Amino acid sequence: MTGGPARGGPPARGGGAGVLAQRVDGGDVRRGDVVVFEDDTWADVPVVKRVVAVGGDTVSTGRDGTLKVNGTEIDEPYLSEDGASGLNAFPEVTVPKGRLFLLGDERSGSLDSSSHLTDTANGTVSREAVRARVDAVVWPVDGMLEAPTGFEEIGALSAPGPLPTVVALALGGAVLILGGAAYGPLVQLAGASRARRADAGARTGDAR
């Protein structure tokens, strides 16, 4: 499955980048995840940003750009060289229940939750708006996203997605579709491949 261009880049690397993602339920999203979501108050296309805080959390950035969640400074090695810029510094925000606070990895120029603080719910996005979680950047070829270990101190991280398995299946003949916001049902792709192998085995058994 392919989708339209995802604004914000994956993760927030700018237009023209391609991502590989899996569909997830918004309730399964955790801090540090890079997600594809759709929110009419942000844009009329899918947007890709990183979840830095969830319902009940407090979040802020200082003048030096340091991210704090629940009072803990978060190490963000995935930021670009100028990502720690304080240009988008914002005061402490409490994230409402059932919502997410999202920032771009190119922090100084990202149109993210920090740019929507005057909107309803302090610039947060409903969990129900999430369509997928990004596993890898495929254009430019960056590969799997790093685990956002800076968030481990305040909560568990999401388990890795099925990307390695799906890539192996693709090399074996399955079709892997890529796009600007290619957040297709990868689990279904893997399941379809298993079903084909089972059918092939059944036909072999009948032939005997």
Side-chain angles (χ1 to χ4, degrees):
M1 177 180 176
T2 58
R7 291 188 181 178
R13 280 179 167 82
V19 301
L20 185 61
Q22 62 168 323
R23 287 191 184 280
V24 295
D25 185 278
D28 295 330
V29 172
R30 297 183 178 181
R31 304 177 192 89
D33 288 348
V34 176
V35 299
V36 181
F37 66 94
E38 295 183 51
D39 187 305
D40 290 342
T41 64
W42 286 52
D44 57 358
V45 297
V47 179
V48 180
K49 297 294 177 185
R50 187 180 298 271
V51 175
V52 298
V54 299
D57 287 347
T58 58
V59 57
S60 64
T61 55
R63 292 184 178 180
D64 63 352
T66 301
L67 176 68
K68 284 189 177 182
V69 180
N70 299 335
T72 299
E73 291 190 5
I74 306 298
D75 180 30
E76 299 185 278
Y78 44 76
L79 293 182
S80 57
E81 291 184 1
D82 66 342
S85 169
L87 292 178
N88 278 7
F90 58 90
E92 186 173 273
V93 172
T94 298
V95 182
K97 183 178 179 180
R99 300 186 71 85
L100 306 168
F101 196 93
L102 306 106
L103 296 177
D105 287 357
E106 292 182 0
R107 204 62 47 86
S108 63
S110 178
L111 295 177
D112 49 34
S113 288
S114 67
S115 303
H116 291 267
L117 294 178
T118 58
D119 293 352
T120 302
N122 297 327
T124 60
V125 170
S126 170
R127 283 183 175 272
E128 296 179 357
V130 174
R131 299 292 176 260
R133 185 179 66 227
V134 175
D135 283 335
V137 177
V138 296
W139 186 261
V141 182
D142 285 358
M144 295 289 293
L145 298 185
E146 294 182 44
T149 53
F151 293 90
E152 284 184 312
E153 186 174 340
I154 55 176
L157 305 180
S158 291
L163 180 60
T165 300
V166 173
V167 170
L169 291 170
L171 293 176
V175 178
L176 191 62
I177 301 175
L178 308 177
Y183 50 97
L186 303 187
V187 174
Q188 292 181 17
L189 177 61
S193 179
R194 288 194 296 270
R196 286 195 296 273
R197 291 199 300 271
D199 289 344
R203 287 196 295 273
T204 300
D206 291 344
R208 293 176 183 171

